[in-house]
Amino acid sequence: MSSVFVKVLVALIATAALVLTLSLSGALFFLWPTSFPDQSLRITPEVLAELQALKDERKFGRDESTFYPGAPTEAVRASAQASVDAIIQSLVTELPPHPRRSVVLATFKRVLIGLEQHESEERDQALVYLHRIMSIVGVNNSGELLNVWRYGFPYGWFLRT
């Protein structure tokens, strides 16, 4: 009986060490699934117009509601905005023929890699825009993709109430 307990304990420790290693290295983000669970989305002309309106907004300026001071330079602001606008443009193109949650998350995943060059404040503010996009298209959650991108670990698993 104690032999089984030791084996289970060793397996749990090895699994935890593997997840920690993947998290710290950033590899967990690349391995994180975007198609499970998938859902169909209702993409109407109104949804596309809301996405376009968000794309047309000037982004990464001072935002008092999130205590974001604004990008440190115009070049950083423009670069971060270009990344978010690329996500929106891609969704405007890809969602009408493929209105799926997996398309949204795969698009996020593809473009978020470029935001790694920015400081943490810009990455945090990018999350604000990604949540707005998800709200517009009707995606309820990212399946922990955004937590894994931003923090390296699916913290939402432990914070659910």
Side-chain angles (χ1 to χ4, degrees):
M1 184 78 130
S2 67
S3 172
V4 171
F5 175 75
V6 169
K7 288 179 182 177
V8 168
L9 184 61
V10 167
L12 287 173
I13 291 170
T15 301
L18 177 63
V19 168
L20 182 63
T21 301
L22 290 172
S23 297
L24 293 175
S25 71
L28 193 58
F29 175 71
F30 293 101
L31 299 172
W32 203 258
T34 58
S35 60
F36 180 79
D38 204 2
Q39 76 183 71
S40 182
L41 303 174
R42 188 166 178 266
I43 304 302
T44 63
E46 292 79 18
V47 167
L48 296 174
E50 279 189 68
L51 285 174
Q52 188 61 48
L54 178 58
K55 182 176 179 251
D56 293 342
E57 283 182 20
R58 186 177 198 281
K59 298 170 193 67
F60 295 93
R62 181 179 201 88
D63 185 349
E64 306 245 342
S65 68
T66 62
F67 304 104
Y68 176 64
T73 67
E74 178 56 25
V76 169
R77 189 206 64 74
S79 173
Q81 176 168 331
S83 294
V84 172
D85 287 349
I87 290 171
I88 296 168
Q89 185 56 52
S90 186
L91 292 175
V92 166
T93 303
E94 294 176 31
L95 282 177
H98 308 288
R100 309 286 309 166
R101 175 180 178 263
S102 57
V103 170
V104 174
L105 297 182
T107 301
F108 284 5
K109 193 173 184 179
R110 189 173 59 245
V111 178
L112 284 173
I113 296 164
L115 279 167
E116 288 296 320
Q117 67 182 339
H118 293 289
E119 297 294 326
S120 62
E121 290 85 0
E122 282 68 50
R123 292 191 300 253
D124 288 343
Q125 190 64 14
L127 290 174
V128 171
Y129 295 114
L130 297 180
H131 284 287
R132 285 181 63 190
I133 292 167
M134 288 169 43
S135 176
I136 290 168
V137 300
V139 172
N140 296 328
N141 66 66
S142 70
E144 296 301 314
L145 176 69
L146 298 180
N147 278 339
V148 171
W149 170 70
R150 184 64 187 99
Y151 308 112
F153 195 76
Y155 289 104
W157 287 351
F158 302 105
L159 300 175
R160 294 202 200 311
T161 57

